[in-house]
Amino acid sequence: MTFIGMTAAVHSLDLPGTEVIPIYEGFHGYIYGSLAEANTADLDLVRARLGSGPLRVLDLCCGMGRFARALAAEGHTVTAVDLSADMIAQAEEMWRPLAADAPGEVVFEAADATALEPGEPFDAVLIGGLSVNTFDASGRRALLEAARSYLRPGGTLLFDHFPAPEKAGDPAYHTFPFPGEDGSAFTVLSVFQTPEEGTQITNMYSEIIDAEGATRRFLSSETVTYTDAEELRAELERSGLRVVEELDTTPPAESGSSVAPRSVLVHCEAV
């Protein structure tokens, strides 16, 4: 884990009640998943390209299941996979009250996206949440090859990714208040672009203050690897995937941020 800025300062203090946790687990897993849940632009694009069901869809790195729930509501049958058992537990909890009225189905599984048991090929595979960038170069190749192996010929792969920015933006800090049942909590999300190294570092720092005033602190860090457009196309071609279209899904730049991280949705066909 790499800590920078204020998160590094807090980490260096070695304060009591401070814990370093994975960014997708526990309290930070909930926050990270909640931020992803708020994104609807890519969801609308995915739904438009898959249409109404029934298709057999594999949702890799599913997080809290926002794709899976929406597609099941369109009549698709979805297998949703994530390595984080915490994310899967939250996804199942969010799906449970919707399942009876949904025309489609969802099965959630905590598993490695690159090592699923072979079975009947899927009509479509999704890799959302910019998850492709959480893998290093060799891991990304393995993920794309695995995605192709899960698809039927002519099937659809949809994934989004971070291309490398032309220049680094200023460090960005975002603060989120999260009221707690017995007190209060807040999270500071810090993003540091390092295009010269081909990576972006995200730090999360949270405090939870209970009713008696006791404070618990959580620190997390994630480093994502930017993608090179030419290398990515070559990897897709080698994996047996043809690019159909690429769509810019970059959100508007936030006030005070000089550069908005660019994101692209790629639509591929299995050949």
Side-chain angles (χ1 to χ4, degrees):
M1 292 187 178
T2 302
F3 295 114
I4 296 178
M6 67 164 293
T7 317
V10 173
H11 184 252
S12 69
L13 294 174
D14 195 24
L15 297 170
T18 300
E19 184 179 355
V20 176
I21 61 173
I23 203 165
Y24 302 116
E25 303 291 340
F27 185 65
H28 280 177
Y30 165 73
I31 294 172
Y32 202 96
S34 297
L35 294 175
E37 286 283 320
N39 183 18
T40 60
D42 59 348
L43 176 57
D44 292 339
L45 292 171
V46 166
R47 292 169 69 181
R49 275 144 190 82
L50 295 185
S52 58
L55 295 177
R56 295 185 68 254
V57 179
L58 176 61
D59 183 6
L60 298 177
C61 308
C62 69
M64 291 168 66
R66 65 192 180 97
F67 280 166
R69 295 193 308 274
L71 293 177
E74 299 286 339
H76 300 291
T77 298
V78 185
T79 299
V81 175
D82 200 285
L83 188 61
S84 168
D86 280 3
M87 286 289 189
I88 289 296
Q90 292 183 68
E92 289 177 326
E93 183 176 350
M94 296 179 74
W95 168 245
R96 198 171 293 117
L98 308 175
D101 296 326
E105 300 177 1
V106 184
V107 174
F108 292 99
E109 181 180 354
D112 184 341
T114 66
L116 302 181
E117 291 294 328
E120 182 182 349
F122 288 88
D123 300 304
V125 173
L126 311 177
I127 311 172
L130 302 165
S131 300
V132 164
N133 296 92
T134 65
F135 293 77
D136 61 17
S138 61
R140 183 178 65 240
R141 286 192 294 272
L143 177 64
L144 295 175
E145 289 171 0
R148 172 61 187 91
S149 73
Y150 305 143
L151 277 169
R152 63 168 176 79
T156 297
L157 170 66
L158 292 164
F159 71 93
D160 56 1
H161 69 101
F162 269 148
E166 294 181 359
K167 64 176 182 177
D170 297 330
Y173 299 90
H174 311 279
T175 303
F176 305 94
F178 283 86
E181 293 182 4
D182 300 318
S184 60
F186 71 88
T187 294
V188 178
L189 176 71
S190 309
V191 178
F192 305 88
Q193 296 178 332
T194 53
E196 67 281 358
E197 299 177 10
T199 59
Q200 174 175 294
I201 298 169
T202 300
N203 284 180
M204 294 181 75
Y205 168 59
S206 297
E207 286 191 6
I208 301 177
I209 306 169
D210 66 22
E212 285 71 42
T215 301
R216 297 173 62 200
R217 302 174 182 86
F218 299 100
L219 304 174
S220 298
S221 178
E222 176 187 51
T223 299
V224 300
T225 304
Y226 289 125
T227 44
D228 177 271
E230 291 186 7
E231 290 181 5
L232 184 60
R233 278 183 168 266
E235 289 173 7
L236 291 167
E237 185 176 345
R238 285 194 297 270
S239 300
L241 295 157
R242 180 180 67 85
V243 175
V244 176
E245 60 180 338
E246 297 179 79
L247 302 154
D248 194 312
T249 55
T250 307
E254 295 188 14
S255 176
S257 176
S258 59
V259 176
R262 184 166 174 251
S263 56
V264 176
L265 179 71
V266 183
H267 175 192
C268 300
E269 180 183 10
V271 296

